[in-house]
Amino acid sequence: MKTTRTGVMLAVALALNTLAVAGACAAVSPEEAARLGKDLNCVGGELAGNAAGTIPPYTGKYLGEVPGWNHVKFSGDQPVDPYADEKPILVITAANMSQYEAHLSDGQKALLKKYPTSYKMNVYPGHRDFRYPDYVCKRAMDNALSAKLVNDGLGIEGLGQVPFPIPKSGMEVLWNHQLPARAYTEEKISDLASVLPNGSIGWGRAHARNLSQANSPSVEPKTEDGIQAMSYNTTLKPARDNGVISISHEPYNFATSARQAWSYSPSTRRVRQMPGYGYDQPMIGTNGTMTVDEDRLFNGAPERYTWKLLGKREIYVPANAFRPNSAKYSYAEILTPNHPNPEVMRYELRRVWVVEADLKEGFRHVYGKRVLFIDEDTWNAVMADNYDARGQLWKHAMINYYYHPDMSGWQAGSQFFMDLNSGQYTGYGMTNEAKKGPILNEGKYTPDMYTADAARAVGR
Protein backbone atom coordinates (compact mmCIF):
# COMPACT_ATOMS: atom_id res chain seq x y z
CA MET A 1 0.00 0.00 0.00
CA LYS A 2 1.02 3.60 -0.44
CA THR A 3 1.84 5.40 2.74
CA THR A 4 2.96 8.77 4.08
CA ARG A 5 5.42 9.77 6.78
CA THR A 6 2.62 9.96 9.41
CA GLY A 7 3.43 6.55 10.88
CA VAL A 8 7.13 7.38 11.01
CA MET A 9 6.47 10.67 12.82
CA LEU A 10 4.19 8.96 15.33
CA ALA A 11 6.84 6.34 16.12
CA VAL A 12 9.46 9.05 16.53
CA ALA A 13 7.27 11.10 18.86
CA LEU A 14 6.43 8.11 21.04
CA ALA A 15 10.07 7.12 21.35
CA LEU A 16 11.14 10.64 22.27
CA ASN A 17 8.48 10.87 24.98
CA THR A 18 9.33 7.53 26.54
CA LEU A 19 13.10 7.70 26.25
CA ALA A 20 14.04 11.34 26.83
CA VAL A 21 15.23 10.47 30.32
CA ALA A 22 17.85 8.20 28.79
CA GLY A 23 19.51 11.11 27.01
CA ALA A 24 22.27 11.51 29.58
CA CYS A 25 23.79 8.13 28.73
CA ALA A 26 22.57 7.82 25.15
CA ALA A 27 24.57 7.68 21.94
CA VAL A 28 23.02 10.99 20.87
CA SER A 29 20.91 13.60 22.64
CA PRO A 30 17.10 13.64 22.37
CA GLU A 31 17.43 16.84 20.33
CA GLU A 32 19.72 15.16 17.81
CA ALA A 33 17.61 11.99 17.76
CA ALA A 34 14.59 14.14 16.92
CA ARG A 35 16.12 14.63 13.46
CA LEU A 36 14.84 11.13 12.63
CA GLY A 37 11.61 11.66 10.74
CA LYS A 38 12.39 15.36 10.18
CA ASP A 39 15.48 16.02 8.07
CA LEU A 40 16.53 12.34 8.26
CA ASN A 41 14.42 9.33 7.39
CA CYS A 42 13.65 6.96 10.23
CA VAL A 43 16.90 4.98 9.91
CA GLY A 44 19.15 8.00 9.37
CA GLY A 45 19.32 8.76 5.65
CA GLU A 46 19.11 12.41 4.61
CA LEU A 47 15.61 13.20 3.37
CA ALA A 48 16.79 15.90 0.98
CA GLY A 49 18.35 15.19 -2.37
CA ASN A 50 21.70 16.69 -3.26
CA ALA A 51 22.23 20.28 -4.41
CA ALA A 52 22.91 19.22 -8.00
CA GLY A 53 19.60 17.37 -8.23
CA THR A 54 21.37 14.16 -9.24
CA ILE A 55 20.29 12.39 -6.03
CA PRO A 56 16.53 12.67 -5.47
CA PRO A 57 14.76 13.39 -2.19
CA TYR A 58 13.64 10.42 -0.14
CA THR A 59 9.92 9.72 -0.61
CA GLY A 60 9.38 6.35 1.07
CA LYS A 61 6.03 6.33 -0.70
CA TYR A 62 5.71 2.55 -0.96
CA LEU A 63 5.40 0.14 1.94
CA GLY A 64 5.15 -3.60 1.31
CA GLU A 65 4.50 -3.26 -2.41
CA VAL A 66 6.46 -2.81 -5.62
CA PRO A 67 4.55 -1.23 -8.54
CA GLY A 68 4.06 -3.76 -11.32
CA TRP A 69 5.02 -6.75 -9.15
CA ASN A 70 1.77 -8.49 -8.22
CA HIS A 71 3.46 -10.34 -5.42
CA VAL A 72 1.75 -13.09 -3.46
CA LYS A 73 3.27 -13.28 0.02
CA PHE A 74 5.57 -16.22 0.73
CA SER A 75 5.05 -17.60 -2.77
CA GLY A 76 8.66 -17.34 -3.87
CA ASP A 77 7.72 -15.50 -7.04
CA GLN A 78 10.61 -13.77 -8.78
CA PRO A 79 11.08 -9.97 -8.56
CA VAL A 80 9.64 -7.66 -11.19
CA ASP A 81 11.44 -4.43 -12.06
CA PRO A 82 9.22 -1.36 -11.48
CA TYR A 83 11.69 0.73 -13.50
CA ALA A 84 12.00 -1.61 -16.46
CA ASP A 85 11.09 1.08 -19.00
CA GLU A 86 13.83 3.47 -17.90
CA LYS A 87 16.89 4.09 -20.05
CA PRO A 88 20.37 4.95 -18.77
CA ILE A 89 20.94 8.67 -18.25
CA LEU A 90 24.69 8.14 -18.39
CA VAL A 91 27.09 5.45 -19.56
CA ILE A 92 30.54 5.51 -17.96
CA THR A 93 33.34 3.93 -19.96
CA ALA A 94 37.12 3.90 -19.91
CA ALA A 95 37.01 6.77 -22.42
CA ASN A 96 34.97 9.19 -20.27
CA MET A 97 35.64 7.94 -16.73
CA SER A 98 37.91 10.90 -15.91
CA GLN A 99 34.82 13.15 -15.94
CA TYR A 100 33.16 11.08 -13.20
CA GLU A 101 36.04 9.73 -11.12
CA ALA A 102 34.97 11.74 -8.06
CA HIS A 103 31.91 9.46 -7.96
CA LEU A 104 33.74 6.17 -8.60
CA SER A 105 35.51 3.79 -6.25
CA ASP A 106 39.08 2.64 -6.89
CA GLY A 107 37.76 -0.79 -7.83
CA GLN A 108 35.34 0.59 -10.40
CA LYS A 109 38.07 2.69 -11.97
CA ALA A 110 40.35 -0.35 -12.10
CA LEU A 111 37.68 -2.43 -13.86
CA LEU A 112 37.09 0.29 -16.45
CA LYS A 113 40.83 0.52 -17.16
CA LYS A 114 41.42 -3.24 -17.22
CA TYR A 115 38.48 -4.06 -19.52
CA PRO A 116 38.01 -0.95 -21.69
CA THR A 117 36.17 -2.76 -24.47
CA SER A 118 33.78 -4.87 -22.38
CA TYR A 119 33.16 -3.10 -19.07
CA LYS A 120 30.96 -0.05 -18.61
CA MET A 121 28.50 1.30 -16.06
CA ASN A 122 24.92 2.09 -17.05
CA VAL A 123 23.66 4.81 -14.69
CA TYR A 124 19.89 5.19 -14.27
CA PRO A 125 17.65 7.83 -12.65
CA GLY A 126 17.77 7.64 -8.87
CA HIS A 127 14.80 6.46 -6.79
CA ARG A 128 14.30 6.45 -3.02
CA ASP A 129 10.72 5.24 -3.03
CA PHE A 130 10.48 2.34 -0.56
CA ARG A 131 10.34 2.41 3.22
CA TYR A 132 10.47 0.18 6.28
CA PRO A 133 7.55 -0.67 8.60
CA ASP A 134 6.95 1.54 11.63
CA TYR A 135 8.36 -1.03 14.08
CA VAL A 136 11.76 -0.65 12.39
CA CYS A 137 11.52 3.13 12.79
CA LYS A 138 10.61 2.79 16.47
CA ARG A 139 13.57 0.51 17.15
CA ALA A 140 15.97 2.85 15.35
CA MET A 141 14.78 5.72 17.54
CA ASP A 142 15.13 3.63 20.70
CA ASN A 143 18.68 2.75 19.69
CA ALA A 144 19.59 6.33 18.81
CA LEU A 145 18.92 7.22 22.43
CA SER A 146 20.36 4.20 24.19
CA ALA A 147 22.46 1.77 22.11
CA LYS A 148 26.20 1.70 22.75
CA LEU A 149 29.36 -0.13 21.75
CA VAL A 150 30.94 -2.44 24.32
CA ASN A 151 34.20 -4.38 24.57
CA ASP A 152 36.10 -2.00 22.28
CA GLY A 153 33.43 -2.29 19.63
CA LEU A 154 33.33 -6.09 19.52
CA GLY A 155 29.76 -6.01 20.79
CA ILE A 156 26.78 -3.74 21.25
CA GLU A 157 24.05 -3.21 23.82
CA GLY A 158 20.61 -2.12 22.72
CA LEU A 159 18.11 -3.51 20.24
CA GLY A 160 19.40 -5.73 17.46
CA GLN A 161 18.28 -3.65 14.52
CA VAL A 162 19.80 -0.38 13.18
CA PRO A 163 21.75 0.30 16.39
CA PHE A 164 23.24 3.69 15.43
CA PRO A 165 21.00 5.61 13.01
CA ILE A 166 23.06 8.76 13.67
CA PRO A 167 26.56 7.25 13.80
CA LYS A 168 29.69 8.94 15.12
CA SER A 169 32.40 6.40 14.22
CA GLY A 170 33.44 3.78 11.72
CA MET A 171 32.65 1.00 14.18
CA GLU A 172 29.10 2.31 14.66
CA VAL A 173 28.55 2.38 10.89
CA LEU A 174 29.93 -1.16 10.66
CA TRP A 175 27.44 -2.38 13.29
CA ASN A 176 24.61 -0.77 11.33
CA HIS A 177 25.75 -2.87 8.38
CA GLN A 178 25.98 -5.96 10.59
CA LEU A 179 22.48 -5.34 11.96
CA PRO A 180 20.35 -3.62 9.31
CA ALA A 181 16.62 -4.18 8.95
CA ARG A 182 16.48 -7.36 6.89
CA ALA A 183 14.64 -10.68 6.73
CA TYR A 184 13.57 -12.38 9.97
CA THR A 185 13.36 -15.77 8.26
CA GLU A 186 14.75 -16.56 4.82
CA GLU A 187 14.46 -19.63 2.65
CA LYS A 188 16.08 -19.78 -0.75
CA ILE A 189 17.89 -22.06 -3.15
CA SER A 190 20.68 -20.05 -4.72
CA ASP A 191 23.47 -20.67 -7.18
CA LEU A 192 27.18 -19.96 -7.06
CA ALA A 193 29.21 -19.59 -10.26
CA SER A 194 32.99 -19.50 -10.35
CA VAL A 195 33.71 -17.85 -13.70
CA LEU A 196 37.18 -18.29 -15.19
CA PRO A 197 38.69 -15.76 -17.62
CA ASN A 198 37.97 -18.06 -20.58
CA GLY A 199 34.27 -18.08 -19.66
CA SER A 200 34.12 -21.62 -18.27
CA ILE A 201 32.09 -21.94 -15.07
CA GLY A 202 32.23 -24.13 -12.00
CA TRP A 203 28.83 -24.42 -10.32
CA GLY A 204 27.57 -24.65 -6.78
CA ARG A 205 24.08 -24.63 -5.30
CA ALA A 206 22.82 -24.40 -1.72
CA HIS A 207 19.52 -24.48 0.14
CA ALA A 208 19.56 -21.81 2.88
CA ARG A 209 17.16 -21.60 5.82
CA ASN A 210 18.09 -18.64 7.97
CA LEU A 211 16.70 -17.20 11.18
CA SER A 212 17.61 -13.65 12.18
CA GLN A 213 16.23 -13.09 15.66
CA ALA A 214 17.48 -9.48 15.45
CA ASN A 215 14.77 -8.87 12.86
CA SER A 216 11.72 -10.42 14.48
CA PRO A 217 8.73 -8.24 13.55
CA SER A 218 6.83 -9.27 16.69
CA VAL A 219 9.39 -9.79 19.47
CA GLU A 220 11.65 -6.90 20.49
CA PRO A 221 15.20 -8.11 19.77
CA LYS A 222 17.31 -7.35 22.85
CA THR A 223 21.04 -7.88 22.57
CA GLU A 224 21.25 -9.56 25.99
CA ASP A 225 19.52 -12.52 24.34
CA GLY A 226 23.00 -13.32 22.98
CA ILE A 227 22.43 -14.68 19.48
CA GLN A 228 21.50 -12.33 16.64
CA ALA A 229 21.20 -14.84 13.79
CA MET A 230 21.39 -18.52 12.86
CA SER A 231 21.93 -20.19 9.51
CA TYR A 232 21.29 -23.69 8.16
CA ASN A 233 22.79 -24.40 4.73
CA THR A 234 22.56 -27.63 2.76
CA THR A 235 24.90 -28.04 -0.22
CA LEU A 236 23.19 -29.36 -3.37
CA LYS A 237 26.00 -28.86 -5.90
CA PRO A 238 28.66 -29.92 -6.76
CA ALA A 239 27.62 -33.56 -6.54
CA ARG A 240 30.63 -34.54 -4.41
CA ASP A 241 29.41 -32.22 -1.64
CA ASN A 242 25.70 -32.96 -1.95
CA GLY A 243 24.09 -33.24 1.46
CA VAL A 244 26.79 -31.43 3.43
CA ILE A 245 25.10 -29.29 6.10
CA SER A 246 26.57 -26.29 7.86
CA ILE A 247 24.95 -24.55 10.83
CA SER A 248 26.19 -21.35 12.41
CA HIS A 249 25.29 -18.95 15.24
CA GLU A 250 26.14 -15.25 15.12
CA PRO A 251 26.46 -13.43 18.48
CA TYR A 252 25.80 -9.81 19.35
CA ASN A 253 29.10 -9.66 21.22
CA PHE A 254 32.16 -11.30 19.70
CA ALA A 255 34.25 -10.63 22.82
CA THR A 256 32.04 -12.71 25.10
CA SER A 257 30.59 -15.24 22.62
CA ALA A 258 32.53 -16.58 19.67
CA ARG A 259 30.79 -17.43 16.43
CA GLN A 260 29.75 -21.09 16.55
CA ALA A 261 29.57 -23.40 13.53
CA TRP A 262 29.02 -27.11 12.91
CA SER A 263 29.28 -29.24 9.79
CA TYR A 264 27.54 -32.53 8.97
CA SER A 265 29.10 -34.87 6.39
CA PRO A 266 26.79 -37.46 4.77
CA SER A 267 29.77 -39.68 3.94
CA THR A 268 30.70 -40.14 7.60
CA ARG A 269 27.32 -39.30 9.15
CA ARG A 270 29.17 -37.23 11.68
CA VAL A 271 28.81 -33.70 12.93
CA ARG A 272 31.93 -31.78 13.85
CA GLN A 273 32.38 -28.33 15.28
CA MET A 274 34.27 -25.96 13.00
CA PRO A 275 36.91 -24.12 15.06
CA GLY A 276 37.78 -20.54 14.16
CA TYR A 277 35.04 -20.40 11.53
CA GLY A 278 35.02 -17.25 9.40
CA TYR A 279 37.65 -14.64 8.67
CA ASP A 280 39.70 -15.35 5.53
CA GLN A 281 38.93 -19.02 5.08
CA PRO A 282 38.18 -19.49 1.35
CA MET A 283 34.51 -19.86 0.52
CA ILE A 284 34.06 -23.34 -0.92
CA GLY A 285 33.68 -23.36 -4.70
CA THR A 286 34.98 -19.84 -5.39
CA ASN A 287 38.60 -20.59 -6.41
CA GLY A 288 39.82 -18.15 -3.79
CA THR A 289 37.89 -15.15 -5.12
CA MET A 290 35.77 -14.97 -1.96
CA THR A 291 36.43 -15.46 1.75
CA VAL A 292 33.93 -16.65 4.36
CA ASP A 293 33.74 -13.18 5.92
CA GLU A 294 32.87 -11.59 2.55
CA ASP A 295 29.26 -12.73 2.33
CA ARG A 296 27.36 -9.40 2.39
CA LEU A 297 30.86 -7.87 1.85
CA PHE A 298 31.73 -8.19 5.53
CA ASN A 299 30.42 -10.40 8.30
CA GLY A 300 31.60 -11.74 11.63
CA ALA A 301 33.98 -10.44 14.26
CA PRO A 302 35.56 -7.04 13.49
CA GLU A 303 38.54 -7.60 15.81
CA ARG A 304 41.28 -7.95 13.20
CA TYR A 305 40.84 -4.46 11.77
CA THR A 306 40.84 -0.85 12.83
CA TRP A 307 37.65 0.72 11.47
CA LYS A 308 37.89 4.32 10.30
CA LEU A 309 34.96 6.45 9.14
CA LEU A 310 35.87 8.36 5.98
CA GLY A 311 32.52 10.16 5.89
CA LYS A 312 29.87 10.23 3.19
CA ARG A 313 30.46 10.33 -0.55
CA GLU A 314 28.24 10.47 -3.62
CA ILE A 315 29.10 7.27 -5.50
CA TYR A 316 27.60 5.34 -8.42
CA VAL A 317 26.55 2.09 -6.77
CA PRO A 318 24.19 -0.82 -7.53
CA ALA A 319 20.69 0.28 -6.47
CA ASN A 320 17.06 -0.77 -6.99
CA ALA A 321 18.54 -3.93 -8.51
CA PHE A 322 15.33 -5.74 -9.44
CA ARG A 323 16.64 -6.17 -12.98
CA PRO A 324 19.77 -8.26 -12.25
CA ASN A 325 17.77 -10.52 -9.91
CA SER A 326 14.79 -11.18 -12.17
CA ALA A 327 14.04 -14.39 -14.04
CA LYS A 328 14.15 -12.32 -17.23
CA TYR A 329 17.90 -12.90 -17.47
CA SER A 330 19.51 -16.33 -17.64
CA TYR A 331 22.88 -17.10 -16.13
CA ALA A 332 24.27 -17.41 -19.65
CA GLU A 333 23.30 -13.78 -20.25
CA ILE A 334 24.60 -12.51 -16.91
CA LEU A 335 27.89 -14.39 -16.49
CA THR A 336 30.16 -13.00 -19.17
CA PRO A 337 33.98 -13.45 -18.91
CA ASN A 338 35.93 -11.28 -16.43
CA HIS A 339 32.87 -9.49 -15.00
CA PRO A 340 29.06 -9.74 -15.04
CA ASN A 341 27.29 -8.40 -18.11
CA PRO A 342 27.14 -4.58 -17.77
CA GLU A 343 23.86 -4.48 -19.73
CA VAL A 344 22.11 -6.28 -16.87
CA MET A 345 23.48 -4.15 -14.02
CA ARG A 346 21.80 -0.99 -12.72
CA TYR A 347 23.76 1.86 -11.08
CA GLU A 348 22.44 5.02 -9.43
CA LEU A 349 24.20 7.95 -7.80
CA ARG A 350 23.70 7.50 -4.04
CA ARG A 351 25.06 8.89 -0.80
CA VAL A 352 27.04 6.18 0.93
CA TRP A 353 28.99 6.00 4.16
CA VAL A 354 32.60 5.01 3.47
CA VAL A 355 34.41 2.92 6.07
CA GLU A 356 38.05 1.84 5.82
CA ALA A 357 39.27 -1.25 7.66
CA ASP A 358 43.05 -1.52 8.19
CA LEU A 359 44.56 -4.77 9.40
CA LYS A 360 45.91 -4.46 12.93
CA GLU A 361 49.54 -5.25 13.65
CA GLY A 362 49.91 -8.82 14.83
CA PHE A 363 46.73 -10.03 13.10
CA ARG A 364 46.47 -12.08 9.92
CA HIS A 365 44.09 -11.77 6.99
CA VAL A 366 44.51 -12.00 3.21
CA TYR A 367 43.16 -8.43 2.97
CA GLY A 368 45.42 -5.76 4.40
CA LYS A 369 42.77 -3.11 3.81
CA ARG A 370 39.05 -3.16 3.02
CA VAL A 371 36.87 -0.23 2.04
CA LEU A 372 33.10 -0.62 2.41
CA PHE A 373 30.46 1.58 0.77
CA ILE A 374 27.28 1.50 2.86
CA ASP A 375 23.98 2.91 1.59
CA GLU A 376 22.57 5.71 3.76
CA ASP A 377 18.93 4.62 3.42
CA THR A 378 19.38 0.93 4.27
CA TRP A 379 22.74 0.46 6.07
CA ASN A 380 23.55 -2.32 3.62
CA ALA A 381 27.09 -2.43 2.24
CA VAL A 382 26.64 -2.34 -1.53
CA MET A 383 30.29 -2.31 -2.69
CA ALA A 384 33.75 -3.13 -1.38
CA ASP A 385 37.30 -2.56 -2.57
CA ASN A 386 39.80 -4.99 -1.04
CA TYR A 387 43.59 -4.61 -0.95
CA ASP A 388 46.38 -7.12 -0.40
CA ALA A 389 49.01 -7.03 2.35
CA ARG A 390 51.20 -4.69 0.24
CA GLY A 391 48.39 -2.17 -0.07
CA GLN A 392 47.71 -2.99 -3.73
CA LEU A 393 44.12 -3.04 -4.95
CA TRP A 394 43.17 -6.68 -5.45
CA LYS A 395 39.42 -7.22 -5.65
CA HIS A 396 36.19 -5.33 -6.23
CA ALA A 397 32.85 -6.66 -4.98
CA MET A 398 29.22 -5.58 -5.26
CA ILE A 399 25.74 -6.64 -4.12
CA ASN A 400 22.48 -6.14 -6.01
CA TYR A 401 19.82 -5.31 -3.41
CA TYR A 402 16.11 -5.06 -4.19
CA TYR A 403 13.01 -4.25 -2.12
CA HIS A 404 10.97 -7.34 -1.24
CA PRO A 405 7.27 -7.16 -0.25
CA ASP A 406 7.51 -10.26 1.97
CA MET A 407 9.39 -8.26 4.59
CA SER A 408 8.99 -4.64 3.42
CA GLY A 409 12.75 -4.33 3.32
CA TRP A 410 15.84 -4.81 1.19
CA GLN A 411 16.93 -8.29 0.14
CA ALA A 412 20.53 -9.14 -0.76
CA GLY A 413 20.36 -10.55 -4.27
CA SER A 414 23.26 -11.53 -6.49
CA GLN A 415 26.75 -10.75 -5.23
CA PHE A 416 29.82 -10.50 -7.47
CA PHE A 417 33.44 -10.78 -6.32
CA MET A 418 35.96 -9.84 -9.01
CA ASP A 419 39.68 -10.59 -8.83
CA LEU A 420 41.42 -7.73 -10.64
CA ASN A 421 44.67 -9.70 -10.98
CA SER A 422 43.51 -13.05 -12.32
CA GLY A 423 40.39 -11.96 -14.20
CA GLN A 424 38.20 -14.59 -12.57
CA TYR A 425 35.15 -13.81 -10.47
CA THR A 426 32.39 -15.40 -8.45
CA GLY A 427 28.65 -14.88 -8.75
CA TYR A 428 27.11 -15.71 -5.39
CA GLY A 429 23.55 -15.86 -4.04
CA MET A 430 21.96 -15.91 -7.50
CA THR A 431 18.33 -17.05 -7.81
CA ASN A 432 17.47 -16.04 -11.40
CA GLU A 433 17.06 -19.64 -12.56
CA ALA A 434 15.71 -21.06 -9.32
CA LYS A 435 12.19 -22.53 -9.38
CA LYS A 436 11.36 -20.10 -6.59
CA GLY A 437 12.83 -16.85 -5.40
CA PRO A 438 13.48 -16.11 -1.73
CA ILE A 439 10.66 -16.64 0.79
CA LEU A 440 11.04 -14.09 3.57
CA ASN A 441 9.49 -13.48 7.00
CA GLU A 442 7.22 -16.51 6.84
CA GLY A 443 8.31 -17.16 10.42
CA LYS A 444 8.35 -20.95 10.34
CA TYR A 445 11.84 -21.46 11.83
CA THR A 446 12.71 -21.78 15.52
CA PRO A 447 16.09 -21.79 17.34
CA ASP A 448 15.93 -25.53 18.12
CA MET A 449 16.35 -26.19 14.38
CA TYR A 450 19.88 -24.70 14.48
CA THR A 451 21.81 -27.06 16.72
CA ALA A 452 24.38 -29.79 16.27
CA ASP A 453 21.71 -32.30 17.26
CA ALA A 454 19.44 -31.03 14.50
CA ALA A 455 22.20 -31.66 11.94
CA ARG A 456 22.96 -35.04 13.50
CA ALA A 457 19.31 -36.06 13.18
CA VAL A 458 19.57 -35.80 9.39
CA GLY A 459 21.89 -38.79 9.30
CA ARG A 460 19.82 -41.08 11.44
Side-chain angles (χ1 to χ4, degrees), residues 109-334:
K109 289 183 278 189
L111 281 168
L112 288 163
K113 290 176 182 177
K114 186 175 179 69
Y115 306 112
T117 60
S118 64
Y119 188 72
K120 63 181 180 179
M121 295 170 57
N122 289 331
V123 179
Y124 289 81
H127 296 279
R128 302 170 68 198
D129 295 337
F130 302 98
R131 80 167 181 94
Y132 292 114
D134 287 345
Y135 73 84
V136 173
C137 300
K138 172 64 164 56
R139 291 173 185 175
M141 174 58 75
D142 290 351
N143 277 330
L145 292 164
S146 59
K148 60 182 181 181
L149 297 171
V150 295
N151 297 108
D152 294 323
L154 296 185
I156 67 162
E157 290 180 359
L159 299 177
Q161 200 174 57
V162 193
F164 305 105
I166 306 177
K168 304 298 184 184
S169 69
M171 189 65 83
E172 288 185 352
V173 172
L174 177 71
W175 273 104
N176 286 344
H177 158 72
Q178 299 271 60
L179 293 168
R182 55 191 179 112
Y184 168 49
T185 61
E186 175 188 41
E187 181 175 13
K188 65 178 180 180
I189 293 177
S190 62
D191 291 306
L192 178 154
S194 178
V195 185
L196 297 179
N198 64 7
S200 63
I201 299 175
W203 292 99
R205 177 172 291 173
H207 183 187
R209 285 161 283 190
N210 300 322
L211 172 63
S212 174
Q213 297 174 113
N215 287 279
S216 171
S218 57
V219 178
E220 194 171 68
K222 297 180 179 179
T223 57
E224 58 259 38
D225 294 338
I227 303 297
Q228 53 159 297
M230 303 174 180
S231 68
Y232 187 119
N233 284 283
T234 304
T235 300
L236 305 177
K237 290 182 179 180
R240 65 179 180 274
D241 296 323
N242 181 264
V244 171
I245 294 171
S246 61
I247 292 175
S248 66
H249 291 182
E250 200 81 3
Y252 284 113
N253 190 323
F254 291 95
T256 59
S257 303
R259 172 186 265 180
Q260 303 267 350
W262 300 267
S263 176
Y264 165 77
S265 170
S267 62
T268 63
R269 291 191 173 185
R270 289 190 174 183
V271 175
R272 66 181 183 89
Q273 189 159 14
M274 301 166 67
Y277 176 75
Y279 301 108
D280 57 354
Q281 295 172 354
M283 183 71 78
I284 295 173
T286 67
N287 284 334
T289 57
M290 182 180 175
T291 61
V292 167
D293 69 1
E294 273 189 290
D295 188 0
R296 294 181 59 247
L297 304 184
F298 181 83
N299 66 81
E303 64 189 12
R304 298 190 179 186
Y305 292 93
T306 299
W307 298 87
K308 179 167 57 177
L309 182 59
L310 302 183
K312 273 189 184 180
R313 288 181 61 191
E314 296 180 2
I315 300 287
Y316 295 113
V317 299
N320 289 302
F322 299 90
R323 176 188 177 98
N325 289 294
S326 74
K328 179 180 177 180
Y329 294 97
S330 68
Y331 294 148
E333 292 173 287
I334 297 170

Side-chain angles (χ1 to χ4, degrees), residues 4 24 35 74 146 200 202 326 375 419 421 451:
T4 68
R35 296 179 60 197
F74 315 135
S146 59
S200 63
S326 74
D375 184 80
D419 188 319
N421 294 333
T451 65

Side-chain angles (χ1 to χ4, degrees), residues 36-107:
L36 299 171
K38 292 183 180 178
D39 65 297
L40 303 177
N41 65 30
C42 77
V43 296
E46 296 175 45
L47 287 177
N50 65 353
T54 48
I55 295 175
Y58 175 85
T59 68
K61 62 184 178 180
Y62 298 116
L63 172 65
E65 68 165 327
V66 175
W69 182 3
N70 298 316
H71 176 65
V72 177
K73 275 213 165 186
F74 315 135
S75 65
D77 54 4
Q78 297 281 18
V80 175
D81 186 0
Y83 311 119
D85 293 335
E86 291 184 346
K87 304 299 181 184
I89 58 174
L90 169 66
V91 178
I92 302 175
T93 66
N96 68 5
M97 62 178 285
S98 61
Q99 301 174 47
Y100 308 103
E101 61 180 356
H103 303 301
L104 298 171
S105 82
D106 288 348

